[in-house]
Amino acid sequence: MSNPISSTPFRILRVAVPTPLRRLFDYRPGRNSPPGGWQPGIRVRVPFGRRQVIGVIMECGDHSDFPLDQLKPVADWLDAEPLPEDWLWLCRFTARYYQHSLGDTLHQALPVLLRQGRPLAGRILERWQALAQPDAADPRLKRAPRQVELLAMLCQHPQGLHTQAILAQGYSREQLMTLVDKQLATRHETPLTAAEPATDQLLAEPALPLNREQAAALATLHERLDAFHPCLLHGVTGSGKTEVYLQLIEAVVARGRQALLLVPEIGLTPQTLARFRSRFRVPVVALHSGLTDNERLDAWEAVASGRAPIVIGTRSAIFTPLARPGVIIVDEEHDSSFKQHEGLRYHARDLAVARAKHHAIPLLLGSATPSLESLYHAGRGNYRHLHLTRRASRHAPARLELIDLRGRPRQGGLIAPAIEAIRATLEAGHQVLVFINRRGFAPTLACHACGWLADCDSCDARMTLHRQPPMLACHHCDKRRPVPDACPSCGSADLRPLGSGTERTEETLAALFPKVPVHRIDRDSTRRRDAFEQLLGEVRRGEPCLLVGTQMLAKGHHLPHVTLVIVVNADAGLYASDFRALEHSAQLLVQVAGRAGRASHPGRVLVQTLHTDDPHLRLLADQGYDALAEQLLEERRAAALPPFRFLALLRLESPKEEAATALGREAADMLRQWVAEHTPDVNCMGPVPAPMERRQNRYHMQLMLSAGRRSQLHAACARLTSWLEAKPEARRVRWSLDVDPQTLG
Ligand code: ADP
Ligand code: ZN
Ligand code: ZN
């Protein structure tokens, strides 16, 4: 139907517009057409209802189901050239796979400024070059230490640095302009279409000589750089995975291709970026939530045009178009931040697999604690399984020591043996990390006279007690209340915090160890990213200190002077109802343990638990993650759960419980009949109330589909969504479909 190069004028343009509806909309071409003719991939402004919206032409043809004279013409075209082909392919694939509206998928996958209609062409690029060496004696740099640093950075890049790369390092445009005014630097402008000056030398610093395992892994990767070649790089924290990524990227870029590296939200730290930027002379583009819309568009364009050979980004960076794709790497591939939990519920790792296959390029998934999915594929030979078993530093990863919480008094969540271990570590001049996966002062407030608990009015959940500032807050709906002076139920003043959160543990430790600084690191204490980085910088200098933190601290950060890690409570994940809870809590425990003893000192990890004889926890402590993962895979097989079967979850929510339940029942009845006839492999369970039935005063129901074959699951999901879209009652219930859900909550 579509024929992009044909010169015959098309009569119909089928356009994807940003709406949840899973269909394209027909328009007539506008009066003036783009210079290259109408083609799929060109953005257009079209009338839609009473508004004008920006959509993307997906098909050009001659047939419409509607009479031609009823179709509206396209108001305007925005691109002379179609958006990148590989990007369009990925959006189509994503929309189909996740059963999401194509228009909304395209919209979400575009940088904000392109969604708003900003042209792609005709933009300029700024580059800044040093004109002098930083010299502290230079009167122009007197009392300007940041400018000295900035100038030093520019000097390291003789061909100049792009604005985006400089701003990403925390400098401002004013600081750059000041250097220019002082004639210490110059600013160059080039049209964006101009090619990057060729660099004959790719590396700015030499690669490290690899150890035997790293060299073997890299050799396997080098074997097939021109084909889809999925590999799992399975190596403990500190075993040198990043060095393998760096050298793989070097090989790919040397061949004139581009590398895309995805990292978890928490992993894209200035240190990670600095490590890549100091290795390579070519531009390394970073894509993360801290960018302005302009920076994001610059980055997108730099990669789409092929000017930037290396791009590092978090989840949404999977939607970056690549002019010359060469490799996709997913670091910490098990991390749950790769899954988007609302709207378009994609998993960036899974899209990376699909994308690498489409481009016929290597795919590298790296982790110390691979997901059960990836281990399953490696076990079946779908992925090459590469191992790094040794740390580059001398010490093996610390083992988990389980310590029994039962019947022992706790102070701020900690029992005496843990406190003694902290004391000994601090006295030896080292640092301690106390991990507690709960922010706030205490999980809730309780009345000791009548048993009242601080429940949230809007959710089936308790409100968390905070002290800094004092309040009760619901972590599910964000509702806040002042802390009552007396029990709202019986009037007693005997209200006490129940359990411990980061604030309480921090307070206890500060009282126990008054001479040692205690730093709390959680979402409340680190709202400002630079404050967090500054604190980490201080901690890396190595003075004895105590760190109390949530999983923000557990992942990604190198803390070389920490030699003792305390896990305040390992039990939450052990008995949670969610089928992935054990996998995720084991991964988290191993990640936390990986913080201990990374530099020159061996580490210890003490895990407090009420269940020292829990078989899963024992297996993890005695034999490690791989042994536990093998056991969990066996259990998943027996329970017919992923990765042995595929799941999709329909979530329904409404302020009225009956409305959600009634629609869920009707959908289930319809679907059961339909699958019996068309996709007998599909199993339909529910509707059942969601694990937290009431959230923000809305009732949540869910219907689960499972199948052994993806094609059947997808057919059933497609049937379900089209039925719901056509159903008037469904407009009063909010519903969404989650293909490959990560949690059943
Ligand atoms: P991972 O990504 O697996 O956590 P890294 O690549 O960050 O491991 O390596 C951990 C540390 O070991 C880093 O400081 C790195 O510079 C160093 N390292 C890695 N590979 C080597 C090597 N072949 N020789 C010397 N040091 C290495
Ligand atoms: Zn009471
Ligand atoms: Zn709430």
Side-chain angles (χ1 to χ4, degrees):
M1 177 167 180
S2 69
N3 181 0
I5 338 225
S6 159
S7 55
T8 49
F10 297 108
R11 293 194 300 161
I12 306 291
L13 303 175
R14 310 202 69 210
V15 178
V17 299
T19 153
L21 296 174
R22 291 161 176 78
R23 45 169 288 219
L24 301 176
F25 295 83
D26 292 359
Y27 289 88
R28 282 187 285 122
R31 234 168 294 134
N32 63 47
S33 57
W38 298 102
Q39 302 177 46
I42 285 180
R43 280 178 303 154
V44 285
R45 202 184 297 279
V46 292
F48 189 71
R50 277 188 227 142
R51 302 173 298 145
Q52 283 211 339
V53 298
I54 290 170
V56 180
I57 301 175
M58 297 313 291
E59 292 168 11
C60 304
D62 286 315
H63 171 77
S64 173
D65 293 337
F66 299 92
L68 270 187
D69 54 1
Q70 283 185 17
L71 297 180
K72 291 185 184 146
V74 162
D76 207 356
W77 50 269
L78 301 172
D79 301 303
E81 297 280 313
L83 294 169
E85 182 81 37
D86 67 318
W87 180 85
L88 288 166
W89 174 86
L90 181 63
C91 291
R92 277 199 171 97
F93 175 89
T94 305
R96 204 169 48 235
Y97 187 91
Y98 291 104
Q99 304 279 330
H100 198 79
S101 130
L102 179 57
D104 192 54
T105 305
L106 291 159
H107 185 76
Q108 292 202 34
L110 275 178
V112 170
L113 293 177
L114 294 185
R115 287 180 207 166
Q116 294 170 350
R118 182 77 70 91
L120 241 185
R123 302 172 52 248
I124 55 135
L125 187 70
E126 287 174 311
R127 192 199 311 275
W128 308 78
Q129 256 173 324
L131 292 175
Q133 291 292 323
D135 176 359
D138 188 328
R140 291 172 294 181
L141 289 171
K142 226 171 162 186
R143 285 191 305 272
R146 284 292 280 171
Q147 286 179 24
V148 175
E149 286 172 32
L150 175 54
L151 188 57
M153 182 170 88
L154 292 180
C155 285
Q156 285 169 6
H157 298 266
Q159 333 111 46
L161 271 178
H162 295 151
T163 311
Q164 198 231 339
I166 299 169
L167 298 183
Q169 297 294 321
Y171 297 99
S172 68
R173 175 172 284 279
E174 288 88 273
Q175 287 167 327
L176 282 163
M177 288 311 295
T178 311
L179 286 185
V180 172
D181 292 343
K182 292 177 178 169
Q183 302 189 338
L184 292 163
T186 57
R187 173 174 171 275
H188 301 277
E189 266 188 17
T190 29
L192 259 181
T193 44
E196 188 71 11
T199 40
D200 39 7
Q201 254 189 315
L202 177 57
L203 296 187
E205 65 180 22
L208 298 176
L210 297 180
N211 67 33
R212 198 177 41 75
E213 287 180 327
Q214 285 173 315
L218 192 66
T220 305
L221 291 162
H222 278 172
E223 273 169 29
R224 295 178 68 196
L225 291 176
D226 287 312
F228 176 54
H229 186 208
C231 297
L232 174 63
L233 184 61
H234 185 169
V236 294
T237 311
S239 61
K241 295 185 293 298
T242 310
E243 186 60 35
V244 174
Y245 305 158
L246 283 161
Q247 299 197 22
L248 175 61
I249 291 173
E250 180 190 337
V252 164
V253 175
R255 294 157 56 95
R257 305 273 203 93
Q258 290 172 294
L260 169 61
L261 170 64
L262 298 181
V263 295
E265 256 153 36
I266 231 152
L268 192 54
T269 59
Q271 297 89 264
T272 312
L273 263 183
R275 195 160 164 199
F276 281 80
R277 290 202 166 125
S278 59
R279 175 68 57 92
F280 295 104
R281 248 186 242 287
V282 294
V284 176
V285 160
L287 281 169
H288 54 81
S289 54
L291 298 184
T292 65
D293 291 343
N294 264 312
E295 290 166 348
R296 190 171 286 280
L297 181 55
D298 282 349
W300 203 82
E301 201 282 334
V303 185
S305 67
R307 228 165 355 91
I310 302 171
V311 51
I312 305 182
T314 48
R315 179 176 65 222
S316 62
I318 189 61
F319 290 108
T320 318
L322 296 167
R324 296 183 304 277
V327 67
I328 304 180
I329 302 173
V330 185
D331 186 32
E332 309 286 1
E333 63 86 28
H334 64 277
D335 195 275
S336 50
S337 74
F338 288 123
K339 170 85 176 179
Q340 177 146 300
H341 289 289
E342 59 203 13
L344 172 58
R345 295 175 147 84
Y346 67 96
H347 198 303
R349 178 204 54 220
D350 297 344
L351 289 182
V353 178
R355 212 177 160 187
K357 194 169 189 173
H358 174 73
H359 294 314
I361 56 172
L363 168 80
L364 183 57
L365 305 177
S367 177
T369 51
S371 62
L372 296 186
E373 272 78 4
S374 297
L375 284 172
Y376 168 80
H377 286 301
R380 293 178 38 120
N382 300 342
Y383 299 169
R384 288 290 286 269
H385 201 165
L386 311 171
H387 294 271
L388 300 181
T389 56
R390 282 187 320 215
R391 279 183 157 189
S393 69
R394 279 180 295 135
H395 300 289
R399 282 201 21 211
L400 307 180
E401 297 171 44
L402 305 184
I403 53 177
D404 199 341
L405 278 171
R406 272 173 301 183
R408 286 174 153 163
R410 302 179 204 177
Q411 277 180 284
L414 298 163
I415 58 175
I419 293 172
E420 277 325 301
I422 294 174
R423 189 182 311 282
T425 308
L426 294 173
E427 276 168 7
H430 301 155
Q431 298 176 342
V432 179
L433 165 60
V434 177
F435 171 76
I436 172 166
N437 220 3
R438 264 216 173 102
R439 61 198 170 85
F441 187 80
T444 195
L445 187 67
C447 169
H448 268 231
C450 76
W452 171 88
L453 293 167
D455 289 324
C456 176
D457 314 328
S458 309
C459 307
D460 292 332
R462 311 245 185 270
M463 297 187 95
T464 304
L465 177 65
H466 287 252
R467 283 263 171 99
Q468 297 169 12
M471 61 176 168
L472 289 169
C474 173
H475 288 183
H476 302 279
C477 71
D478 237 16
K479 187 165 274 190
R480 279 141 203 232
R481 275 200 268 154
V483 182
D485 297 324
C487 171
S489 166
C490 75
S492 159
D494 192 6
L495 292 177
R496 300 187 202 169
L498 199 67
S500 293
T502 45
E503 288 178 9
R504 192 176 202 178
T505 305
E506 174 193 24
E507 190 180 286
T508 306
L509 290 169
L512 286 169
F513 303 102
K515 295 206 185 84
V516 181
V518 181
H519 305 294
R520 174 164 58 90
I521 296 178
D522 58 26
R523 227 175 342 126
D524 301 317
S525 72
T526 55
R527 296 214 185 273
R528 283 177 39 232
R529 194 183 172 94
D530 48 341
F532 183 39
E533 288 304 326
Q534 200 178 348
L535 174 59
L536 286 177
E538 200 180 308
V539 170
R540 279 195 202 97
R541 276 199 286 279
E543 293 299 309
C545 70
L546 275 154
L547 297 163
V548 179
T550 56
Q551 54 174 321
M552 278 190 77
L553 251 193
K555 301 183 187 175
H557 302 289
H558 289 242
L559 302 169
H561 303 282
V562 168
T563 61
L564 174 66
V565 172
I566 309 268
V567 177
V568 172
N569 195 323
D571 298 339
L574 291 180
Y575 300 98
S577 59
D578 203 284
F579 76 95
R580 285 188 214 268
L582 254 172
E583 176 190 353
H584 288 160
S585 65
Q587 288 163 345
L588 189 55
L589 277 177
V590 174
Q591 295 276 332
V592 180
R595 300 304 106 205
R598 285 178 60 108
S600 52
H601 304 286
R604 264 187 98 187
V605 183
L606 301 182
V607 179
Q608 300 192 140
T609 170
L610 286 169
H611 306 277
T612 44
D613 43 12
D614 175 84
H616 289 119
L617 193 55
R618 275 253 76 90
L619 189 59
L620 180 67
D622 296 343
Q623 294 180 48
Y625 178 81
D626 299 356
L628 176 63
E630 206 171 303
Q631 160 89 24
L632 293 180
L633 267 176
E634 235 3 273
E635 294 174 14
R636 294 269 186 95
R637 182 203 301 278
L641 284 167
F644 297 92
R645 274 176 87 79
F646 305 114
L647 299 183
L649 194 66
L650 176 70
R651 295 189 176 89
L652 302 151
E653 58 172 282
S654 163
K656 293 206 189 82
E657 191 174 2
E658 315 80 63
T661 313
L663 184 66
R665 287 219 184 95
E666 213 183 321
D669 289 344
M670 179 286 298
L671 200 63
R672 285 202 176 92
Q673 274 186 18
W674 191 87
V675 299
E677 220 174 289
H678 299 89
T679 55
D681 181 36
V682 174
N683 217 327
C684 173
M685 287 153 279
V688 294
M692 191 185 295
E693 191 177 353
R694 195 169 53 104
R695 252 187 344 260
Q696 260 181 308
N697 264 334
R698 302 176 68 88
Y699 289 85
H700 294 248
M701 299 291 296
Q702 54 193 36
L703 186 65
M704 188 161 85
L705 278 63
S706 96
R709 268 177 290 165
R710 273 215 180 275
S711 53
Q712 295 219 350
L713 182 67
H714 277 167
C717 287
R719 169 68 194 147
L720 183 59
T721 52
S722 61
W723 183 85
L724 284 161
E725 276 188 354
K727 186 96 189 145
E729 291 93 317
R731 279 185 220 134
R732 287 191 293 274
V733 172
R734 202 185 287 165
W735 59 269
S736 63
L737 186 73
D738 190 349
V739 176
D740 303 333
Q742 283 294 296
T743 73
L744 300 186

